[in-house]
Amino acid sequence: VVDVAAKASAEDVVIFELAVTLTSETRSVGPMLSCAREAAAKRSGAASLSGHMRSLLVSGKHSDVTLRVADGEIQAHRSVLAARSPVFDRMLAPDSGMLEASTGLVQIEDLDMATAKPLCDFMY
């Protein structure tokens, strides 16, 4: 028996491989189900983070940059865009000298909302 919990951190993922052989014996799977429930509970933190990030995008709350595309605008967050894209990172850096960094307005004329929304969904 290996004490996985003693060596694992909260970010680690443990994968169990299980081989099942059918016999006439009855065996308990209680400990295995308990581990699965515990792993699912830990993953729910990631799910709530993604939900909170999506909420920021949808609401525009605390947004500090506008993506203006051919047929609309999306309120976004420069820190999220910069973290997810090296292009936005360079463009929105305070010392970049780029107009977008000082105005908070990114104009992408050859992109429409039908494309921009899924792009932002992916980044958030």
Side-chain angles (χ1 to χ4, degrees):
V1 175
V2 177
D3 185 5
V4 176
K7 297 180 181 179
S9 72
E11 292 82 28
D12 289 337
V13 175
V14 178
I15 300 173
F16 293 94
E17 186 174 313
L18 175 66
V20 177
T21 304
L22 297 175
T23 66
S24 60
E25 296 177 39
T26 302
R27 296 184 184 218
S28 171
V29 293
M32 198 179 314
L33 292 176
S34 176
C35 287
R37 281 189 206 106
E38 192 174 315
K42 286 182 181 177
R43 282 193 305 270
S44 70
S48 64
L49 175 60
S50 65
H52 292 140
M53 295 299 290
R54 174 143 178 74
S55 175
L56 280 175
L57 174 62
V58 170
S59 71
K61 186 175 181 181
H62 304 297
S63 63
D64 56 358
V65 66
T66 301
L67 302 178
R68 183 175 292 158
V69 297
D71 57 346
E73 294 184 350
I74 298 174
Q75 299 303 310
H77 305 84
R78 64 179 71 217
S79 58
V80 174
L81 299 179
R84 299 287 286 158
S85 163
V87 173
F88 282 122
D89 184 38
R90 287 189 295 276
M91 178 189 295
L92 298 172
D95 60 349
S96 69
M98 297 191 74
L99 185 61
E100 292 87 352
S102 60
T103 63
L105 177 63
V106 178
Q107 295 191 57
I108 312 171
E109 295 172 3
D110 56 348
L111 196 64
D112 60 10
M113 290 294 281
T115 306
K117 282 184 178 183
L119 175 67
C120 288
D121 286 340
F122 173 76
M123 288 195 283
Y124 278 74

